[in-house]
Amino acid sequence: MKSIKQILSLALPAMVENILQMLMGVVDSYLVAQVGLIAVSGVSVANNIITIYQAVFIALGASCASLIAKAMGEGDEVKTNRFIWDSILVTVLLSLALGLLSLLAGSSMMSLLGTVTSVTEAGSLYLYLVGGGILFLGLMTTFGSVLRAQGKPKVSMNVSLMSNLLNAVLSAMSIYCFHWGIVGVAGATVLSRLIGTVVLWLVMKLDIKSYQISKPFNRDLLHLVFPAAGERLMMRAGDVVIIAIVVKFGTEVVAGNAIGETLTQFNYMPGMGVATATVILVAHSLGAGKKEEIKSLVATSYWISTLLMMVVAATVYFLGSGLTGLFTENSRAVEASVVVLLYSFMGNPITSGTLIYTAVWQGLGKAQLPFYATTFGMWVIRIILGYLLGISLNMGLSGVWLATILDNLFRVIFLYTMYRKNMKTI
């Protein structure tokens, strides 16, 4: 019972925070849609790039939380403090690099995604501003991870809520009152994140005099960050290839697949929240040398994640046709969307396993295994098998999603088997 309460106390705020971060991009797209079709198309494409940045920051945050929680479990205040400052420094350096990339190559990245000139110009403007100010998204993510590792998950959730509400108000004012268009919406997004960053910094109460980084730089952190970030990038890059396969089935199927994926995003929120809790709790127990507690936490995390995900997925699936109808009345698109909802629902227990056991390995400080599993699963199983089933065997979208389930099945079996072996040596 104690482990259930521990998991939920960390997981529920993380779930809410994930939803709020997703909604910020949705709000921006909705308000920009009032400007025109070209504007909303540009912002939507630019947000795909911002989403990649966000995935990297989430991986970084999980790595930071793992090491901080482990140090706290060991009762080492000096190491804990050093990990916090190391995490902040890595976040700043990575954010500056991504910010410069957005400013110097934003237009080129938009063009590579195949957008026409007018959409490229609109999206580039948004990417220059939001991508250029990506530092504040990075710091908010890392600060939130630090607070969760310290047992204060509701703080970052509340600040995210405040930041989203502020963004909605400022963006609406920029569109309806001042008519600033994309510049106003992008500026509101950056400003709201800046304010959120400042609030989190004040809540953390870090003493600048305690600033201390590892020399030479923290190898433990880098050994976690690079594989964790690489795992997310492999997923995102593979998704682009999968879309290229889906395009072969026609525009209506592409639209239906996109609608289905939009709806099924909510299926994964519980699992992602529980995974966030799992990273922290496993790392803390590892630092405290409590092997049996780790086993109990992992098993409990999996069942909580699976149960919550199945409840959400079942709700989305059984309301599928009606929800899809809010987006389109095209029968073939609706049919494709329902295929996505069905396979997502059926594959949820497996997907839950991939989320939880990826988190377990990050908590154990060995993020390389999930990186290897995701790289092989995505690029060898999901993509190749998706092409063979979907196109060569004429199974269409069902073939692509069956390959997705088989990819996740491979990963969960691999990660679970290696976990069982690893626990015998701890």
Side-chain angles (χ1 to χ4, degrees):
M1 183 63 69
K2 181 181 177 182
S3 61
I4 294 177
K5 290 182 178 179
Q6 285 179 316
I7 293 166
L8 290 178
S9 68
L10 288 170
L12 293 177
M15 286 164 52
V16 173
E17 195 170 343
N18 287 334
I19 292 172
L20 290 172
Q21 287 292 346
M22 182 181 70
L23 287 177
M24 185 173 283
V26 173
V27 169
D28 281 3
S29 294
Y30 172 77
L31 290 171
V32 170
Q34 312 311 307
V35 177
L37 188 61
I38 291 175
V40 72
S41 297
V43 169
S44 296
V45 174
N47 265 325
N48 287 332
I49 298 173
I50 299 297
T51 299
I52 295 174
Y53 295 174
Q54 187 176 358
V56 173
F57 287 131
I58 290 173
L60 171 60
S63 301
C64 298
S66 172
L67 291 172
I68 293 167
K70 182 172 181 289
M72 291 177 67
E74 294 170 349
D76 192 330
E77 292 185 13
V78 174
K79 185 186 288 187
T80 300
N81 179 68
R82 194 165 64 243
F83 276 137
I84 291 173
W85 285 110
D86 286 345
S87 300
I88 293 172
L89 179 58
V90 170
T91 302
V92 171
L93 294 175
L94 178 60
S95 299
L96 292 176
L98 292 176
L100 282 174
L101 178 65
S102 300
L103 292 171
L104 299 177
S107 181
S108 298
M109 287 191 288
M110 291 288 297
S111 297
L112 286 173
L113 292 175
T115 55
V116 298
T117 303
S118 57
V119 173
T120 296
E121 291 175 353
S124 297
L125 180 58
Y126 183 85
L127 187 57
Y128 291 151
L129 295 170
V130 177
I134 205 68
L135 170 66
F136 306 120
L137 174 60
L139 288 176
M140 279 190 70
T141 305
T142 295
F143 289 169
S145 297
V146 171
L147 288 166
R148 280 192 289 271
Q150 293 176 332
K152 304 172 185 177
K154 292 183 180 178
V155 175
S156 58
M157 180 190 73
N158 290 331
V159 173
S160 288
L161 177 59
M162 177 207 72
S163 181
N164 274 266
L165 290 174
L166 185 61
N167 175 61
V169 172
L170 293 177
S171 294
M173 289 176 62
S174 72
I175 292 291
Y176 297 115
C177 298
F178 302 107
H179 308 291
W180 288 340
I182 292 176
V183 172
V185 171
T189 299
V190 175
L191 179 59
S192 62
R193 285 173 175 162
L194 167 60
I195 294 172
T197 299
V198 172
V199 172
L200 286 174
W201 171 262
L202 294 175
V203 171
M204 289 170 66
K205 296 179 180 178
L206 288 178
D207 184 0
I208 196 68
K209 296 179 181 178
S210 69
Y211 173 76
Q212 182 183 11
I213 62 172
S214 303
K215 298 178 182 179
F217 195 73
N218 198 316
R219 292 181 179 178
D220 290 337
L221 180 58
L222 295 182
H223 285 164
L224 266 181
V225 169
F226 285 135
E231 192 263 344
R232 289 295 86 198
L233 288 174
M234 286 296 102
M235 280 295 297
R236 292 295 176 185
D239 285 341
V240 173
V241 179
I242 290 294
I243 292 300
I245 295 175
V246 175
V247 166
K248 302 290 186 182
F249 307 138
T251 302
E252 294 166 325
V253 175
V254 172
N257 183 73
I259 293 169
E261 289 193 326
T262 298
L263 294 174
T264 56
Q265 284 184 83
F266 294 97
N267 297 0
Y268 311 125
M269 292 298 169
M272 292 171 65
V274 176
T276 298
T278 303
V279 171
I280 294 169
L281 294 174
V282 167
H284 190 278
S285 297
L286 180 65
K290 299 178 180 179
K291 177 181 176 180
E292 294 305 315
E293 189 173 279
I294 293 176
K295 293 180 179 179
S296 174
L297 280 168
V298 172
T300 305
S301 293
Y302 173 74
W303 290 115
I304 291 175
S305 171
T306 302
L307 177 62
L308 293 177
M309 286 178 67
M310 287 300 291
V311 169
V312 175
T315 303
V316 172
Y317 174 68
F318 288 113
L319 296 176
S321 296
L323 292 172
T324 302
L326 297 174
F327 294 85
T328 181
E329 295 180 356
N330 183 284
S331 60
R332 193 161 182 234
V334 171
E335 182 183 341
S337 177
V338 172
V339 168
V340 176
L341 301 184
L342 174 62
Y343 279 91
S344 177
F345 171 62
M346 291 193 305
N348 255 258
I350 299 171
T351 305
S352 174
T354 63
L355 291 171
I356 297 304
Y357 283 101
T358 294
V360 168
W361 282 107
Q362 290 174 343
L364 293 173
K366 300 177 181 179
Q368 293 90 342
L369 277 177
F371 170 72
Y372 299 146
T374 296
T375 302
F376 182 86
M378 170 60 81
W379 292 88
V380 176
I381 298 177
R382 186 179 304 195
I383 291 175
I384 294 178
L385 198 57
Y387 181 87
L388 292 174
L389 293 175
I391 296 177
S392 299
L393 297 180
N394 296 315
M395 290 179 65
L397 193 60
S398 293
V400 172
W401 278 91
L402 179 58
T404 298
I405 292 179
L406 293 174
D407 162 30
N408 285 327
L409 180 61
F410 157 74
R411 281 194 275 159
V412 73
I413 291 174
F414 175 76
L415 293 174
Y416 173 74
T417 302
M418 297 305 293
Y419 160 75
R420 290 289 299 272
K421 291 181 178 180
N422 182 78
M423 292 305 293
K424 295 178 181 178
T425 63
I426 294 180

